[in-house]
Amino acid sequence: MASPAASRGGVMPRVLSGLQEALCRLPGVGPKSAQRMAYHLLQHDRAGATQLAAALQHALTDLRHCRRCNTFSETELCERCASPHRDATRLCVVETPIDMNMLEQTQAYQGLYYVLMGRVSPLDGMPPQALALEKLVERVADEKVEEVILATNYTNEGEATAHYLSALLANKGVTVSRLARGVPVGGELEFVDPGTLAQALRERIGYSCAARSPGKTP
Ligand SMILES: [Zn+2]
């Protein structure tokens, strides 16, 4: 019989407290949520628990990083990098595969990507050297890239990363651009924060009725 171990919620079997600790590693999951998840899986959804364990093991075993863009992939080259239909002259740099998926969902971009799998954040143990940025620089030098779009987040770390990358890519013969900031689609100025509004003013673009005519792709 497993010896009981003390936990924040009282006394529970060591195996259960181990599961709770493991679930606590997930972002945004605290001890109470982890305890609820553990009890739910074991008491009400044992088939789901088995599926979860198998899917996790499968992902750990079979996923690797795409040789070209660094995102997760089951094959050496991911589907996008292997596609002959993507515009290889444009390279969009994002922090995570989730960011890449968000941009893909817009269907407004047909170029390729480079996924940093992180961002420059020395305080969190992520100095620039930890991001393997030389792979990105090599790719820009070796391939027919004409524009690098910096699509890192507009957080302090994302901005620091974009700043570092722009310095790294200076004089490499490519145009370096950054995602624009501004008023959201459907947004009313009354509810936009002053920082975003100021940025939208500074980064305003030319406007004409011709550019807004129906059926015209932006
Ligand atoms: Zn790829």
Side-chain angles (χ1 to χ4, degrees):
M1 184 177 156
S3 60
S7 77
R8 199 173 287 193
V11 175
M12 65 166 68
R14 191 183 297 276
V15 172
L16 198 53
S17 64
L19 175 58
Q20 184 185 354
E21 274 177 40
L23 290 166
C24 268
R25 299 179 74 97
L26 294 169
V29 176
K32 278 191 171 175
S33 299
Q35 187 170 290
R36 262 200 310 276
M37 287 178 191
Y39 278 122
H40 171 80
L41 288 168
L42 295 171
Q43 182 67 31
H44 302 294
D45 192 9
R46 295 182 74 90
T50 304
Q51 185 186 2
L52 179 63
L56 199 53
Q57 188 59 52
H58 182 53
L60 285 169
T61 306
D62 293 342
L63 276 186
R64 61 178 104 172
H65 291 283
C66 169
R67 179 167 56 78
R68 202 167 173 209
C69 75
N70 208 31
T71 194
F72 288 126
S73 175
E74 287 182 73
T75 47
E76 192 182 0
L77 275 185
C78 75
E79 203 177 307
R80 289 182 195 96
C81 286
S83 169
H85 304 297
R86 308 289 303 209
D87 178 2
T89 64
R90 289 200 181 122
L91 186 64
C92 184
V93 182
V94 293
E95 293 181 19
T96 67
I98 296 172
D99 297 339
M100 181 172 70
N101 291 342
M102 293 302 292
L103 288 168
E104 281 294 285
Q105 280 177 33
T106 68
Q107 299 186 354
Y109 178 70
Q110 287 301 313
L112 295 171
Y113 293 91
Y114 188 82
V115 184
L116 296 171
M117 290 291 180
R119 57 199 171 179
V120 175
S121 181
L123 291 178
D124 299 324
M126 193 67 92
Q129 298 77 7
L131 291 176
L133 297 176
E134 65 280 3
K135 248 175 89 176
L136 170 63
V137 175
E138 278 170 24
R139 192 167 160 191
V140 168
D142 295 345
E143 299 182 16
K144 49 181 181 180
V145 178
E146 294 173 8
E147 179 184 8
V148 175
I149 302 165
L150 301 177
T152 54
N153 291 323
Y154 272 107
T155 57
N156 288 339
E157 293 87 355
E159 286 278 60
T161 307
H163 189 263
Y164 186 85
L165 286 174
S166 69
L168 205 60
L169 295 168
N171 307 316
K172 292 283 190 292
V174 289
T175 300
V176 178
S177 59
R178 180 92 169 102
L179 284 189
R181 288 175 283 199
V183 180
V185 174
E188 296 178 38
L189 298 194
E190 183 182 350
F191 301 110
V192 176
D193 70 274
T196 302
L197 204 48
Q199 199 66 39
L201 264 174
R202 281 195 292 271
E203 296 180 9
R204 66 190 182 276
I205 54 174
Y207 184 88
S208 72
C209 53
R212 300 289 298 173
S213 59
K216 184 139 184 168
T217 307

